[in-house]
Amino acid sequence: MFTSVLMIEKALTSADVEFVTTLHGEEQVSFQVLLQPRGEQADRLLRAIDDVALGELDDAVREGETPEGEEALSVGQRALEVSLAALRTSGSEARGRLIENHPLDALKSLVEEAGADEVIVLTDPHYVEEFFHRDWASRARHKVGVPVLKLFSHSKA
């Protein structure tokens, strides 16, 4: 069985689930999901710049409404549960956990624990971080020792 660590920041959409579960054709895949709620990942200014770069001005204005702290954790827990259920419904094995701090340390530990074959980072575009190679995928490539695939979410959750 192929083991993928899937790093996400919000609930998977049905298109996302279909995409990640069909990457390896007919081979059975076990997913280890790490979710860090978006409110904890980057500061508001970077998120607003990303929204402007995507032409989503309304979203940039609403960045202040993004849950943070305890509220982000409860939203994140629900997003994790929804994502795990969707992966299981598709026929995949799936386990997961929330990350509160140090996402790349948690990623490296999980890759080693699970004997993962790959890491899939599935997020919305983060242009500022990606330009400076500070996004999860760019930093993980130097840390985890397995292939890292960067994918963009198919739609808003």
Side-chain angles (χ1 to χ4, degrees):
M1 180 175 293
F2 199 82
T3 302
S4 293
V5 174
L6 180 58
M7 198 163 183
I8 59 177
E9 62 187 355
K10 64 182 184 178
L12 296 173
T13 65
S14 57
D16 293 333
V17 171
E18 181 179 353
F19 192 41
V20 298
T21 57
T22 59
L23 282 173
H24 298 289
E26 298 298 317
E27 187 168 2
Q28 189 67 23
V29 179
S30 171
F31 290 97
Q32 299 285 330
V33 181
L34 291 176
L35 185 142
Q36 183 177 32
R38 187 170 186 214
E40 295 293 320
Q41 174 191 315
D43 73 345
R44 289 181 184 162
L45 178 60
L46 289 177
R47 292 192 314 257
I49 291 170
D50 287 337
D51 291 335
V52 170
L54 289 168
E56 297 170 352
L57 300 178
D58 291 340
D59 289 345
V61 172
R62 287 193 296 272
E63 280 301 336
E65 300 169 11
T66 301
E68 294 190 2
E70 289 299 316
E71 187 182 353
L73 291 177
S74 66
V75 169
Q77 186 61 45
R78 286 192 307 273
L80 179 61
E81 291 166 4
V82 165
S83 299
L84 293 174
L87 289 166
R88 290 175 185 140
T89 298
S90 76
S92 297
E93 288 183 17
R95 286 185 293 264
R97 62 182 118 165
L98 285 181
I99 310 167
E100 292 185 47
N101 298 306
H102 311 294
L104 294 173
D105 293 339
L107 176 63
K108 182 178 182 183
S109 294
L110 183 56
V111 165
E112 291 169 359
E113 279 173 37
D117 298 297
E118 70 179 356
V119 170
I120 300 171
V121 177
L122 180 68
T123 65
D124 287 336
H126 297 292
Y127 294 116
V128 173
E129 292 172 341
E130 290 165 19
F131 179 79
F132 290 106
H133 304 284
R134 301 303 303 154
D135 60 298
W136 286 341
S138 296
R139 294 186 309 170
R141 286 186 180 103
H142 304 287
K143 193 163 188 141
V144 297
V146 297
V148 177
L149 179 61
K150 169 67 176 157
L151 301 174
F152 292 120
S153 253
H154 280 75
S155 60
K156 297 205 175 259

